Amino acid sequence: MAAERQSGAAMEENKENERPGAGGKSAALGDTLGLEILQIIKESQQQHGMRHGDFQRYRGYCSRRLRRLRKTLNFKMGNRHKFTGKKVAVDMLSDNRYLLLILMDAERAWSYAMQLKTEANTEPRKRFHLVSRLRKAVKHGEALERLCESDRIDAKTKLEAQAYSAYLNGMLQFEQQHWQEAMKAFNKCKTIYEKLASAFTEEQAVLYNQRVDEISPNIRYCAYNIGDKTAMNELMQMRLRGGGAEGLLAEKLETLISQTRAKQAATMSEVEWRGRTIPVKIDKVRIFLLGLSDTEAAISQAEDEEAKERLFESVLSECRDAIQSVREELKVEQRQRDAVVDGEMGKVSNLQYLHSYLSYIKLSTAIQRNESMARALQKALLCQPQAEEDGKRTARPQDLIRLYDIILQNLAELPQLPGLEDDQSFQKEIVLKTLVYKAYRCFFIAQSYVLVKKWSEALVLYDRVLKYAKEVQAQAGTKKSNFKELPDVQELIKQVNAEKYSLQAAAILDSTDATEDVSPSQIKDNKPLMERLDNFCLDPSVVTKHARLVPFPPDFHPLPCKPLFFDLALNHVSLPSLEDKLEQKAKSGLTGYIKGIFGFRS
């Protein structure tokens, strides 16, 4: 096992040394050295644990790589008995691996600090060690920047070293809550990376732009703490669009957003829904309702389906928590469920009506999410060929049927919410939406039948789609403006009519192909040649050694049996009367009977 680990480490070192700018490049006199600092950092982090947030694994990798570099460069820090500190000087810069040595020192200290940050949530004393490790990383970053000021280092490496040092310094000031200094350092880092991105091609500028996107939320957070109140809205939009912050900002931003919403929720006392004002006394529900509008705006502005899906899941998760808090209050106040409100019988309590409102939000959000997924699948069905390519499963109508089944289940739950049974406009709205989604579900069921060439079943289902669509048009009437969020039924009718004509043509072609698709010259069956002499057929097997000319072995044929002769004349013979014999037998008595037995009768 030890030999395997050593060989694996050697292979890893060789791969690292083969990367551009990663090491192994010596400089002759007068040549310049370069190091792709940001590229090396990103590749190392992605390949050694940072893709899953494993800072301890990345720190171990940095330590191993430092040990290999020191061994390769013969840059030993004493021996096993005594430590002797050594620093990389400018006159040693004959190989860019000396710069890589300092870079790995800084990365090891930074990864240790990030590991301590995750552990500091349960052990606050580790925050002191965290700050100490960040100071160590800043010290190594400044040393790298000083070395890169040498004339033997190219301009790009100098700029990257300055940006890296500023980034580590900003992280340290950010953790110590020195907002002015942190903002200054981050702005310097951002400016350098923006200039580098503008100086290279788009492919090379991707890494620099990614780093700028990572730094921007930190800058806005520092600006907010300095006193810029407009930065809060930008931070929330960044969080909603980008899937949350990373690094030191993530925890602070979540805390800040929750605190801001809690302050706003203190002034919120009621909400109005369907003509009824509901008092809201639960803080968790207030915070959820305040953030709902921001999340809905972010969903409408989201560009890709993945971001929309994440935002929908966030709303559903927060809504479930709010509903659970209302249920706990309902358990405490059991008598309020059937109580009389304002002297009117049949009205549910305010708390129960609030529960219905939150349930409506949850079901409506689930319907919007499934409808968004259905639209994405419909686009995939239109854009891609039906056949599967490269072993990848393509979108099919069956995938849409399940989504519309879930939508119809959610719509069936809405009319049963307490407090909405007598709301006629709400009930009509749900009925109309149900008809729309039934029409779309029926349409995609018909599409699935078309794929398996069941023409009659598909035609019947297309007629059912038209029936649902006409019912929707008849019931909607002048209220079409109230259902703008629903799929367009008129467009569905046009599509169904086109599909019906295509279906009829495909059915006719399929029936003719069944009888005329094979010409007589192409008919081939397993009959021997002797039995198909009347039909011309191009059969290459006839001229081979194993041609089937006659059936062999021959089949069995029925043969007649041998004739059997029976004496049928006896049936027509009249026998003589034996009455006289019977009389003699009666007179003879016992003696005659005995003689007759033994044959002595004359």
Side-chain angles (χ1 to χ4, degrees):
M1 292 298 292
E4 291 178 0
R5 284 195 297 269
Q6 291 176 0
S7 62
M11 291 175 63
E12 186 178 6
E13 180 181 3
N14 292 334
K15 290 180 181 178
E16 290 165 354
N17 291 335
E18 289 173 0
R19 295 175 189 161
K25 178 182 175 182
S26 299
L29 191 62
D31 292 342
T32 58
L33 293 174
L35 192 69
E36 301 284 348
I37 294 177
L38 187 59
Q39 181 180 353
I40 292 171
I41 290 172
K42 287 295 183 181
E43 288 182 0
S44 301
Q45 289 178 356
Q46 289 296 314
Q47 295 175 9
H48 299 282
M50 289 300 296
R51 186 176 298 176
H52 310 289
D54 193 347
F55 294 101
Q56 186 175 5
R57 178 184 165 191
Y58 181 58
R59 180 167 67 95
Y61 162 75
C62 293
S63 299
R64 293 191 301 273
R65 191 167 186 184
L66 273 171
R67 187 164 57 249
R68 291 194 298 270
L69 285 169
R70 286 170 181 159
K71 183 178 179 181
T72 304
L73 297 171
N74 198 21
F75 192 79
K76 297 181 180 180
M77 312 284 278
N79 51 37
R80 68 177 62 185
H81 303 294
K82 184 179 179 182
F83 173 78
T84 303
K86 292 175 64 177
K87 294 182 179 181
V88 179
V90 177
D91 55 357
M92 295 182 182
L93 296 180
S94 59
D95 194 323
N96 61 359
R97 283 178 292 184
Y98 286 104
L99 299 177
L100 187 61
L101 195 68
I102 305 176
L103 179 63
M104 286 295 107
D105 267 326
E107 282 293 291
R108 181 174 63 173
W110 173 83
S111 58
Y112 195 8
M114 295 299 101
Q115 177 189 344
L116 291 169
K117 181 170 180 61
T118 59
E119 297 172 357
N121 294 328
T122 55
E123 302 177 57
R125 291 289 303 173
K126 289 191 175 182
R127 189 166 295 277
F128 297 100
H129 196 185
L130 155 67
V131 175
S132 174
R133 289 293 92 193
L134 280 177
R135 286 199 183 99
K136 190 74 172 178
V138 170
K139 180 181 176 182
H140 290 302
E142 291 174 349
L144 179 62
E145 183 181 0
R146 284 194 301 271
L147 282 175
C148 289
E149 291 175 356
S150 171
D151 296 336
R152 308 191 65 184
I153 308 300
D154 59 14
K156 180 182 176 183
T157 306
K158 289 180 180 179
L159 289 174
E160 287 203 33
Q162 292 175 12
Y164 182 66
S165 177
Y167 176 75
L168 293 177
N169 188 28
M171 298 282 279
L172 174 62
Q173 301 299 334
F174 191 96
E175 184 61 30
Q176 292 180 322
Q177 298 184 4
H178 299 160
W179 308 119
Q180 194 75 36
E181 293 81 358
M183 186 174 178
K184 182 178 179 181
F186 283 136
N187 277 324
K188 178 183 177 181
C189 178
K190 181 181 177 182
T191 303
I192 294 173
Y193 282 130
E194 285 176 346
K195 289 183 178 179
L196 287 171
S198 62
F200 296 97
T201 61
E202 293 182 1
E203 295 180 357
Q204 295 174 325
V206 171
L207 283 175
Y208 300 123
N209 290 327
Q210 287 179 353
R211 178 66 86 176
V212 170
D213 293 339
E214 293 174 6
I215 296 171
S216 296
N218 294 349
I219 296 174
R220 301 310 300 158
Y221 187 82
C222 294
Y224 173 79
N225 284 279
I226 291 172
D228 186 0
K229 300 302 180 182
T230 61
M232 184 59 197
N233 294 330
E234 295 182 15
L235 281 171
M236 295 182 68
Q237 292 299 325
M238 287 179 182
R239 171 180 170 270
L240 292 172
R241 288 196 303 266
E246 298 178 356
L248 294 174
L249 182 62
E251 181 184 353
K252 296 181 181 295
L253 185 56
E254 292 296 332
T255 305
L256 176 62
I257 291 174
S258 61
Q259 289 176 355
T260 305
R261 287 182 177 173
K263 291 178 182 178
Q264 295 174 353
T267 60
M268 180 182 180
S269 59
E270 58 186 23
V271 65
E272 186 177 353
W273 181 56
R274 303 201 70 84
R276 179 172 173 178
T277 302
I278 316 168
V280 182
K281 300 179 181 179
I282 305 172
D283 293 336
K284 186 175 289 187
V285 178
R286 291 176 178 174
I287 294 172
F288 166 70
L289 293 177
L290 282 171
L292 183 61
S293 58
D294 295 335
T295 309
E296 289 177 348
I299 290 173
S300 61
Q301 296 173 4
E303 297 178 355
D304 57 340
E305 295 298 327
E306 184 178 353
K308 285 186 179 181
E309 180 68 19
R310 179 183 53 78
L311 291 171
F312 277 126
E313 290 297 332
S314 175
V315 174
L316 290 173
S317 176
E318 294 176 2
C319 187
R320 282 191 288 266
D321 294 340
I323 290 174
Q324 183 60 34
S325 61
V326 174
R327 285 176 181 170
E328 292 174 358
E329 292 293 329
L330 283 172
K331 289 179 182 178
V332 176
E333 302 176 4
Q334 287 288 337
R335 290 175 294 181
Q336 289 188 3
R337 293 189 177 182
D338 301 322
V340 178
V341 179
D342 297 332
E344 298 181 7
M345 295 296 296
K347 236 184 175 183
V348 298
S349 65
N350 288 327
L351 200 58
Q352 184 64 50
Y353 201 71
L354 178 61
H355 182 272
S356 298
Y357 176 47
L358 294 175
S359 301
Y360 171 79
I361 293 174
K362 185 186 76 171
L363 294 172
S364 300
T365 305
I367 291 171
Q368 292 176 14
R369 179 193 62 182
N370 291 324
E371 188 181 352
S372 176
M373 295 171 63
R375 283 196 297 267
L377 283 174
Q378 289 179 36
K379 291 180 181 177
L381 281 173
L382 294 174
C383 297
Q384 71 186 6
Q386 293 294 334
E388 295 184 2
E389 298 178 358
D390 301 331
K392 295 182 180 179
R393 186 180 182 276
T394 57
R396 297 178 180 178
Q398 292 86 336
D399 303 330
L400 285 158
I401 296 171
R402 178 57 183 163
L403 289 175
Y404 284 110
D405 281 335
I406 298 174
I407 290 174
L408 290 172
Q409 291 175 7
N410 293 332
L411 286 172
E413 295 179 18
L414 285 173
Q416 302 173 6
L417 295 176
L420 300 175
E421 299 89 346
D422 299 331
D423 193 338
Q424 297 300 324
S425 62
F426 180 78
Q427 299 293 334
K428 289 180 180 179
E429 180 182 339
I430 298 302
V431 170
L432 192 61
K433 290 182 178 180
T434 303
L435 287 174
V436 172
Y437 290 115
K438 276 185 177 181
Y440 271 88
R441 176 180 175 273
C442 193
F443 173 76
F444 288 108
I445 293 176
Q447 293 281 65
S448 64
Y449 276 116
V450 169
L451 292 178
V452 294
K453 296 184 178 181
K454 292 186 177 181
W455 314 117
S456 58
E457 291 87 344
L459 188 60
V460 171
L461 287 168
Y462 280 141
D463 291 336
R464 181 67 61 87
V465 174
L466 294 175
K467 177 185 174 183
Y468 285 139
K470 290 177 181 178
E471 288 183 10
V472 170
Q473 289 180 335
Q475 293 188 20
T478 59
K479 299 180 181 179
K480 293 181 180 179
S481 59
N482 297 331
F483 307 103
K484 290 181 180 180
E485 71 277 3
L486 292 177
D488 190 3
V489 180
Q490 187 63 35
E491 188 67 27
L492 180 63
I493 293 174
K494 294 180 181 178
Q495 191 173 359
V496 168
N497 289 327
E499 291 290 339
K500 284 180 67 176
Y501 292 126
S502 300
L503 184 147
Q504 291 172 357
I508 293 172
L509 291 174
D510 188 58
S511 62
T512 55
D513 290 344
T515 57
E516 299 179 1
D517 56 349
V518 180
S519 63
S521 61
Q522 295 175 345
I523 296 176
K524 183 179 178 182
D525 48 21
N526 293 324
K527 292 182 180 180
L529 181 62
M530 184 178 179
E531 296 181 3
R532 51 185 173 89
L533 291 175
D534 296 335
N535 297 324
F536 175 74
C537 176
L538 297 176
D539 189 0
S541 63
V542 175
V543 295
T544 61
K545 294 182 179 180
H546 303 286
R548 291 199 64 195
L549 304 178
V550 295
F552 185 83
D555 296 333
F556 292 99
H557 294 285
L559 294 175
C561 298
K562 287 185 177 181
L564 297 179
F565 299 97
F566 299 97
D567 190 1
L568 302 178
L570 185 62
N571 295 334
H572 302 281
V573 173
S574 59
L575 297 177
S577 177
L578 300 177
E579 291 180 357
D580 55 343
K581 299 293 182 182
L582 292 174
E583 291 178 357
Q584 285 183 357
K585 180 180 179 181
K587 294 179 181 180
S588 62
L590 181 62
T591 305
Y593 176 73
I594 295 173
K595 288 181 180 180
I597 292 174
F598 292 99
F600 298 124
R601 180 177 298 177
S602 56

